[in-house]
Amino acid sequence: MSTIANFPKPTRVPVNGIELEVFETGKENKGNPIVLCHGWPEHAFSWRHQMPALAAAGYHVIVPNQRGYGNASRPDEVTDYDIAHLTGDLAALLDHFGYDDAIFVGHDWGANVVWSMAQLHPDRVSRIINLALPYQPRTPKPWIEFMEEFFGPDNYFVHFNRQPGVADAVLDQNARQFLGNLYRKNVPPTPPAPGMMMINLAQAETPLGDPILSEEELAVYVGAFAETGFSGSINWYRNMDRNWALLADVNPIIKHPALMIYGEQDMIPKSENLADFVPNLDVVSLDCGHWIQQEMPDETNSAILDWLAAQSAA
């Protein structure tokens, strides 16, 4: 299932007033669902190595291209990409398949959605497995304002919000170069403006680090973003302050059993207080960069399956 030819064909599933593009395997394992949530700038295809392993272990594997990605809907309104909509999509996806709850797995932005899913729809989540991005507690000030003060105006989170459309146009015009430069082992920030790494990578002539994708695999991502552009996916970032407000009165403690998988070479730092907010936590670190499940697929699969087996035996 890890080859492009064997990647499952998608269906378009109506949820929450839109449609998601959904890839499935292990349908014979009805009743044991696991939902895999991609990050940015990714695609359901990023889980190609995990899908067959999870299906073989007895799971019904459900992998959506979330709103703004692939052939999922791309609403025009920026506010249609806030965390209430993103988690609402996943809750409605469970309704579509007739499930009360599921194991949720997220990478990068997908991890943020999964953490929020546990807060906003706690009864729909049985267990959590997140890669790369630990739980982000609310800051004293809205997230973008906080990041602008801490990292400066060139931080790409800040830039996406303060200069709407600028990064979108650069990435749209340089999609192949950007994605080809990004999907590499341990890509470092590029001076003199490390916060603008994403735009710098789109314009960099010399790739950094060894590629983690074959040319055929890279073509899947390039083709998807050439079709959709980057604005829908970047709109997730443009709702961070709105999300900060939406989560104001939500319990910050996540009580679900959770596995956090870090890449030791990832630029995203490990959380020093994750267990304070996620007390039922286990942690695994793999010797890789940010693209954990694609860079070390076998090790990622082992970490996930071993943890799930231990949870079932407990």
Side-chain angles (χ1 to χ4, degrees):
M1 191 69 73
S2 63
T3 65
I4 293 173
N6 290 330
F7 196 68
K9 302 299 182 183
T11 56
R12 289 176 64 88
V13 176
V15 298
N16 201 24
I18 63 159
E19 289 186 338
L20 299 182
E21 182 181 29
V22 179
F23 301 80
E24 288 180 81
T25 191
K27 294 179 184 179
E28 67 276 10
N29 303 320
K30 182 72 175 177
N32 199 17
I34 187 167
V35 181
L36 312 183
C37 302
H38 64 76
W40 184 85
E42 290 188 294
H43 186 279
F45 184 69
S46 65
W47 297 108
R48 63 198 175 280
H49 301 297
Q50 285 66 53
M51 294 178 71
L54 289 167
Y59 293 95
H60 178 194
V61 188
I62 302 167
V63 190
N65 266 333
Q66 298 170 85
R67 62 170 68 201
Y69 288 84
N71 288 317
S73 299
R74 300 189 299 279
D76 294 330
E77 292 295 326
V78 172
T79 54
D80 284 346
Y81 296 85
D82 68 23
I83 202 65
H85 285 87
L86 297 177
T87 58
D89 293 347
L90 298 181
L93 187 63
L94 294 186
D95 292 340
H96 171 81
F97 285 105
Y99 290 129
D100 292 332
D101 58 27
I103 300 164
F104 280 88
V105 185
H107 172 252
D108 183 78
W109 243 111
N112 190 39
V113 176
V114 170
W115 293 125
S116 298
M117 185 75 186
Q119 292 178 282
L120 295 172
H121 302 276
D123 294 340
R124 311 307 301 269
V125 179
S126 61
R127 297 181 180 88
I128 294 168
I129 302 171
N130 275 333
L131 288 67
L133 186 72
Y135 173 73
Q136 305 294 298
R138 285 180 86 248
T139 50
K141 297 180 180 180
W143 276 309
I144 297 302
E145 181 181 348
F146 177 82
M147 295 178 80
E148 188 168 20
E149 288 185 6
F150 195 82
F151 296 112
D154 282 339
N155 176 268
Y156 70 95
F157 282 71
V158 178
H159 187 277
F160 286 167
N161 280 269
R162 301 294 189 239
Q163 301 187 50
V166 174
D168 314 41
V170 173
L171 300 185
D172 287 353
Q173 292 167 9
N174 299 277
R176 192 192 185 287
Q177 188 161 310
F178 169 58
L179 295 166
N181 286 342
L182 187 65
Y183 282 107
R184 292 176 180 269
K185 295 182 180 179
N186 194 26
V187 176
T190 53
M196 289 306 296
M197 179 183 68
M198 298 304 172
I199 291 179
N200 290 344
L201 285 173
Q203 298 172 331
E205 297 293 336
T206 303
L208 303 167
D210 295 327
I212 63 168
L213 303 178
S214 69
E215 285 297 319
E216 187 181 24
E217 290 169 331
L218 177 60
V220 173
Y221 292 93
V222 174
F225 283 100
E227 179 73 21
T228 66
F230 284 86
S231 290
S233 64
I234 293 175
N235 282 342
W236 290 31
Y237 290 88
R238 294 183 175 129
N239 278 281
M240 289 191 65
D241 283 353
R242 183 177 173 85
N243 297 345
W244 183 88
L246 287 169
L247 295 170
D249 298 323
V250 177
N251 185 351
I253 305 302
I254 294 174
K255 298 180 181 180
H256 304 75
L259 174 65
M260 180 68 217
I261 303 178
Y262 290 110
E264 283 292 330
Q265 302 167 36
D266 195 348
M267 290 177 296
I268 296 177
K270 296 179 181 178
S271 172
E272 296 180 356
N273 63 347
L274 182 58
D276 294 341
F277 292 92
V278 190
N280 197 356
L281 175 72
D282 291 296
V283 176
V284 170
S285 291
L286 299 178
D287 187 20
C288 61
H290 182 67
W291 313 107
I292 297 170
Q293 76 271 31
Q294 298 184 86
E295 188 173 339
M296 298 188 75
D298 293 339
E299 293 84 352
T300 301
N301 292 348
S302 293
I304 290 173
L305 291 171
D306 289 351
W307 185 77
L308 289 173
Q311 287 289 309
S312 297

